[in-house]
Amino acid sequence: MSSFTHTSLYSLPSKKALQDEFVGKNLDQLRTPALVVDRSRFKRNCEEVTAEAKKRGMGFRAHVKTHKTTEGTRLQVEAAGGVKATICSTMIELWKIVEDGLVDEGLVDDILYSMPIGSDKIEDLNKAQERIGNKGVIRLMVDHPEQINLLSQFNEKNGRKEKWSVFIKVDGGGRRAGVPPTSQQLKDIIEAILSSSQVEIFGFYSHFGQSYASETLQKGSSYFEGEIDCVNTASKIARELGAKGDWILSVGATPTAHAAVQEVQRAHKGLEGKLELHAGCYCMCDLQQHATSLVPDSHLALTVISKVVSVYPHRKEAMCDSGALAVSKDTGRYPGFGRLISPKHATKWDLGRISQEHGTLVHRPGENINEEEENLKIGDTVRIVPQHACLVCASFPWIYVVDEQQGKNEQVVDVWVPWKGW
């Protein structure tokens, strides 16, 4: 059974029409809520993390799920002289990387589909591999021996000669996808691969989502070291079971990626493969990242533009037109659902409560508001840094682009159209 769905069925707005309509307009002229990315900050974030990973002798794999755009992916893979390995969470991301020319241009030659592989996606992935031919390889994620059986059966039934290249997903305690490094299920997966002539191990992959609890560089570094130990333990077990190969040990979440490139360089000895760092939200950053203390204000590239539509002096609150469908219901260590960063008189306010379309603005805890100078007014255009960039980006049909470096941080210079669908 195949769930192949042609990308042409996911209709997207015309980028040229959007550029013609909006480039040159000021942010306060846009219908709100509106999503804005600062291209210069996005690019600098990509350059810094990628360059530091390379400096420390690690490979880098860029996850595109945060923004889901051709332009953003290009900035990620061109950073620091270029990285050609990417990660996708959905088939539409994978197909758009292929169809939008990033493989044909030689910018991408390695695409990891990071969801544990299901039977309905195998034919789809095979079509994508046939489309790119020898220009690149599509890799898969596995965390159960039955997935090995499904891949082997597909090859035998359809005459595919190429082996499937897989990462084994290792669970380091986050309890999302993956299996614990010392579990019997990990051994069963490895033995299933060793018994198959259709699948080969490319590496071991871990994602420490729990690293978002980091509050210091030391804590973030501790999580990073834990990730390395996690995948290396799994790879040692694979060696003991007779598996061979020059493997990739892929580790990272945006907090541990920042820790990895900020800490004093350490020598990682006794590794069973080459270290690779992966991250996704590093290009945008958000309040969840800022709360780790590893991301400064200057790296926050994403904001939601909103209008103040009413004020309530009796309860010291105001209303804006950005609710859950604009900022998501994700929270973090900072209170509320977003922080206002402009205009200047609004910077002590938070997006404290949300309904579907309504956002209630409140005084930030611990801040003293000057009633005469720092109150919000109906009609104010405010910029909000949301808690979690990934879900926010998925909420908007297009992204307005500004560029601080060009002196145009309040004026639209481009429009990006995110890929929609699954």
Side-chain angles (χ1 to χ4, degrees):
M1 177 183 69
S2 171
S3 61
F4 176 77
T5 304
H6 200 282
T7 54
S8 64
L9 298 175
Y10 296 110
S11 59
L12 299 173
S14 163
K15 178 180 174 72
K16 184 179 185 306
L18 292 168
Q19 289 175 317
D20 290 344
E21 179 70 21
F22 295 114
V23 169
K25 285 190 174 182
N26 292 330
L27 296 185
D28 60 7
Q29 295 177 278
L30 305 177
R31 176 178 290 177
T32 54
L35 186 64
V36 175
V37 62
D38 187 311
R39 184 173 59 195
S40 61
R41 291 189 179 196
F42 185 108
K43 182 177 181 179
R44 184 181 62 208
N45 291 345
C46 294
E47 292 285 345
E48 288 182 3
V49 172
T50 308
E52 288 298 325
K54 286 186 172 185
K55 180 180 177 181
R56 286 160 168 75
M58 294 182 283
F60 189 77
R61 185 176 294 268
H63 208 316
V64 305
K65 69 168 184 139
T66 298
H67 53 88
K68 301 177 189 279
T69 66
T70 304
E71 298 90 343
T73 302
R74 187 178 296 275
L75 290 174
Q76 286 179 285
V77 299
E78 288 181 339
V83 292
K84 298 188 176 185
T86 59
I87 313 172
C88 299
S89 290
T90 62
M91 291 304 305
I92 192 69
E93 294 164 31
L94 187 150
W95 271 108
K96 293 302 287 184
I97 286 177
V98 173
E99 292 182 348
D100 287 2
L102 295 167
V103 175
D104 289 339
E105 292 177 40
L107 294 174
V108 174
D109 65 8
D110 185 327
I111 308 173
L112 169 62
Y113 176 65
S114 64
M115 187 69 68
I117 184 62
S119 60
D120 64 312
K121 302 294 195 307
I122 298 176
E123 183 178 337
D124 207 345
L125 289 156
N126 187 58
K127 287 177 186 277
Q129 183 63 71
E130 290 176 344
R131 164 64 176 79
I132 64 178
N134 61 7
K135 293 180 180 178
V137 61
I138 292 172
R139 307 193 195 279
L140 310 182
M141 192 79 78
V142 298
D143 63 0
H144 195 282
E146 179 59 22
Q147 294 155 350
I148 312 306
N149 295 334
L150 292 171
L151 293 169
S152 299
Q153 291 166 11
F154 177 89
N155 278 19
E156 292 164 3
K157 179 180 178 180
N158 295 277
R160 175 182 161 122
K161 296 180 181 179
E162 299 85 1
K163 291 184 177 182
W164 293 99
S165 174
V166 302
F167 274 103
I168 296 176
K169 185 69 175 285
V170 189
D171 177 15
R175 300 178 69 184
R176 191 168 71 176
V179 293
T182 57
S183 66
Q184 182 59 46
Q185 188 167 326
L186 175 73
K187 295 179 181 179
D188 293 343
I189 296 167
I190 295 167
E191 289 173 347
I193 294 173
L194 292 177
S195 299
S196 172
S197 60
Q198 310 294 340
V199 182
E200 61 185 2
I201 300 172
F202 182 72
F204 296 84
Y205 184 108
S206 184
H207 170 77
F208 267 38
Q210 61 268 39
S211 65
Y212 280 73
S214 301
E215 295 176 336
T216 63
L217 176 58
Q218 183 179 9
K219 190 71 175 291
S221 299
S222 175
Y223 281 120
F224 177 61
E225 295 301 322
E227 284 192 292
I228 295 174
D229 182 64
C230 177
V231 292
N232 200 47
T233 297
S235 64
K236 286 182 177 179
I237 290 173
R239 297 279 188 215
E240 293 170 1
L241 292 173
K244 299 178 181 178
D246 297 322
W247 297 326
I248 296 296
L249 305 181
S250 193
V251 297
T254 294
T256 53
H258 280 112
V261 301
Q262 291 179 34
E263 68 172 355
V264 176
Q265 189 166 356
R266 303 182 190 181
H268 295 103
K269 299 180 179 179
L271 296 182
E272 295 292 335
K274 176 178 172 55
L275 271 184
E276 173 188 86
L277 191 63
H278 59 254
C281 196
Y282 73 104
C283 56
M284 293 282 200
C285 296
D286 49 34
L287 284 189
Q288 289 183 350
Q289 306 298 334
H290 190 268
T292 66
S293 81
L294 302 174
V295 173
D297 293 351
S298 60
H299 287 54
L300 298 173
L302 186 78
T303 51
V304 173
I305 305 298
S306 189
K307 280 283 198 297
V308 176
V309 296
S310 193
V311 294
Y312 312 101
H314 61 286
R315 66 181 200 232
K316 297 182 178 180
E317 294 182 342
M319 180 69 63
C320 71
D321 58 3
S322 293
L325 293 185
V327 298
S328 87
K329 287 190 173 182
D330 275 6
T331 57
R333 286 216 308 279
Y334 292 150
F337 300 89
R339 284 191 167 185
L340 278 60
I341 61 167
S342 77
K344 187 175 180 180
H345 69 266
T347 56
K348 294 181 181 179
W349 290 75
D350 287 341
L351 182 56
R353 302 191 304 277
I354 52 175
S355 302
Q356 179 171 315
E357 312 291 355
H358 300 69
T360 303
L361 302 172
V362 301
H363 293 182
R364 185 168 306 141
E367 294 281 4
N368 293 317
I369 302 290
N370 184 313
E371 298 288 345
E372 293 184 4
E373 298 179 3
E374 296 176 318
N375 267 334
L376 297 174
K377 299 178 290 294
I378 293 176
D380 277 348
T381 300
V382 297
R383 295 181 73 168
I384 305 167
V385 178
Q387 288 280 7
H388 186 191
C390 302
L391 287 186
V392 172
C393 286
S395 300
F396 289 83
W398 56 78
I399 305 172
Y400 298 103
V401 180
V402 298
D403 197 303
E404 184 178 54
Q405 191 171 357
Q406 293 181 4
K408 295 183 177 181
N409 61 338
E410 295 287 337
Q411 185 180 88
V412 179
V413 299
D414 196 9
V415 184
W416 295 352
V417 180
W419 311 316
K420 297 295 184 179
W422 307 105

